[in-house]
Amino acid sequence: MNFKKLTDLELAGKKVLIRVDMNVPVKDGVIGDDTRIRASLPSISHALAAGAGVILMTHLGRPTEGTIAEEDRLAPVARRLGELLGRDVPVIADWVGHTVQAGELVLLENVRTNVGEKKNADALGQQYAALCDVFVNDAFGTAHRAEASTHAVARFAPVACAGILLAAELDALGRALAQPKRPLVAIVAGSKVSTKLTILESLADKVDQLIVGGGIANTFLLAEGKQIGKSLAEADLVDQARAVIAKIRARGGDVPLPVDVVVGQKFDPAEPAVTKPLAAVTDSDMIFDIGPDSAAQLAAVVAQAGTIVWNGPVGVFEFDQFGKGTETLARAIAASPGFSIAGGGDTLAAVAKYGITEQVGYISTGGGAFLEFLEGKTLPAVAMLEQRA
């Protein structure tokens, strides 16, 4: 990929507008996880240290354009960012025409409240662009969307470049997929095949082993003629699941499926966990995790991998009694000598829960963008940076 990078530009005395992704969970004014805020710090600190005045913009939640409710406001984000940087970060609501001096740092109010943001309106993009000498996209989590603060602004800004985080994300993903060290193992888990079918089909052409988990694994088990009881699955997609299995096996790879499982009778934090061979699953059982034998087999696959791409826990890991499979796999990824990259909200929650952050090769801040990159799709915000280069 060919795009300008923030670290290659002369920034002294320049007004730098950085699109960050600080869309963090906030409840009653308290931030639940500040990972995305901390991930944005390198670009902010670099621009300030280089002598620029810095304007930040981000979205938060899903507000209605043209209005702003209290829960949509960025005050908690600005407060946490200020704590991390050791300085005040003002939030600017009336931002059109706002200017900054060298060393100054401000945060524009939630961009999703601006009319025209989601429709990628040229007029709004021009207003953003007028604020700066240099536009920096450092929001990989929104790179799969063409919106005014990620796409239109990059078209109209005097200079458009990738921030430190975005450049690192693209480098890590390219390393994992463009020229991976083999074997390439992908772990794709989630409740529905339908939401990840195109990703599974795309990966079937690339990977040596495709580990599926959750409701996706149940659908694949159905495709192989296995009994899954009342487990979450999509019976209408078994033909597509069979096609994915056939495609990988034709290339000499495989989709290793569970041989034992952990079941319950209802989805409940207090539900007792019962481990049994897959063949012993009854009509009333619901599969909530893979069993220890299956987890050990998958851990062995991961241990031999040259590259590991991980998206999604393989069980209902939020309930500890159904989290052993995900924990075993997570620790195997942490211990593997292969290059690993993990992405997606639930995946990052599992990484944090099992304390393996430092052992994962690269942790992607993107959810949808991570998946679309895996699928081989063009990310509009990145394409615009390439166009401007």
Side-chain angles (χ1 to χ4, degrees):
M1 293 182 185
N2 178 38
F3 47 79
K4 292 179 180 176
K5 294 183 178 181
L6 173 66
T7 49
D8 294 334
L9 301 180
E10 174 56 55
L11 302 176
K14 299 286 179 65
K15 291 175 288 186
V16 176
L17 175 66
I18 308 178
R19 175 49 158 109
V20 292
D21 180 7
M22 296 186 182
N23 184 30
V24 294
V26 181
K27 186 174 182 180
D28 300 326
V30 178
I31 292 172
D33 177 13
D34 68 355
T35 299
R36 285 179 169 169
I37 297 175
R38 286 184 286 107
S40 301
L41 295 179
S43 287
I44 298 168
S45 298
H46 175 84
L48 289 170
V54 178
I55 302 170
L56 305 177
M57 56 179 176
T58 184
H59 71 287
L60 181 70
R62 298 170 183 252
T64 301
E65 288 188 4
T67 63
I68 185 161
E70 197 56 39
E71 64 266 23
D72 302 327
R73 295 187 184 277
L74 292 178
V77 173
R79 188 161 53 246
R80 181 58 184 144
L81 178 61
E83 290 169 357
L84 291 167
L85 291 174
R87 60 186 291 166
D88 287 338
V89 181
V91 179
I92 310 298
D94 186 14
W95 55 264
V96 176
H98 189 84
T99 191
V100 286
Q101 304 302 315
E104 192 177 353
L105 174 67
V106 301
L107 173 64
L108 306 189
E109 190 55 275
N110 194 338
V111 294
R112 286 268 171 89
T113 65
N114 297 330
V115 176
E117 169 64 19
K118 295 200 76 171
K119 289 187 176 179
N120 195 28
D122 281 355
L124 183 57
Q126 288 166 338
Q127 287 181 319
Y128 292 144
L131 299 174
C132 68
D133 303 305
V134 177
F135 168 70
V136 183
N137 192 334
D138 209 30
F140 178 73
T142 65
H144 59 309
R145 296 190 179 103
E147 297 182 343
S149 66
T150 63
H151 193 268
V153 60
R155 183 188 306 127
F156 296 112
V159 176
C161 67
I164 294 170
L165 174 63
L166 179 62
E169 292 268 7
L170 296 173
D171 179 63
L173 284 163
R175 180 177 164 192
L177 292 175
Q179 294 177 308
K181 184 179 177 184
R182 301 279 177 176
L184 170 57
V185 176
I187 303 159
V188 180
S191 57
K192 293 185 176 182
V193 172
S194 53
T195 59
K196 296 184 178 178
L197 180 61
T198 53
I199 295 149
L200 294 167
E201 290 172 336
S202 175
L203 288 174
D205 290 322
K206 302 182 177 81
V207 304
D208 301 298
Q209 299 279 337
L210 176 61
I211 295 172
V212 289
I216 293 175
N218 296 336
T219 302
F220 274 70
L221 287 168
L222 269 185
E224 294 277 86
K226 307 299 184 183
Q227 162 73 320
I228 63 166
K230 294 194 302 181
S231 306
L232 178 67
E234 291 173 286
D236 57 327
L237 291 177
V238 293
D239 287 342
Q240 287 89 332
R242 286 192 191 107
V244 169
I245 294 170
K247 187 185 284 190
I248 292 181
R249 287 178 178 165
R251 295 176 48 250
D254 200 10
V255 182
L257 292 170
V259 294
D260 61 339
V261 291
V262 184
V263 304
Q265 300 301 302
K266 62 180 184 294
F267 185 84
D268 188 278
E271 179 67 9
V274 179
T275 301
K276 58 175 64 178
L278 183 64
V281 171
T282 67
D283 289 345
S284 65
D285 284 334
M286 300 176 76
I287 300 171
F288 291 138
D289 194 10
I290 58 174
D293 291 344
S294 300
Q297 288 178 8
L298 297 183
V301 169
V302 165
Q304 300 300 315
T307 307
I308 305 155
V309 179
W310 181 21
N311 176 253
V314 294
V316 185
F317 79 104
E318 301 92 334
F319 303 161
D320 287 346
Q321 70 274 34
F322 299 119
K324 299 293 192 296
T326 299
E327 181 176 7
T328 298
L329 198 57
R331 300 206 181 284
I333 292 167
S336 174
F339 173 69
S340 55
I341 181 166
D346 286 343
T347 314
L348 302 195
V351 166
K353 180 171 182 175
Y354 302 122
I356 63 165
T357 302
E358 298 303 319
Q359 287 77 49
V360 176
Y362 191 82
I363 294 177
S364 173
T365 56
F370 180 80
L371 291 173
E372 292 202 9
F373 195 104
L374 293 188
E375 194 179 330
K377 287 185 175 179
T378 298
L379 304 181
V382 177
M384 178 53 70
L385 293 183
E386 292 183 293
Q387 189 178 317
R388 288 302 312 277

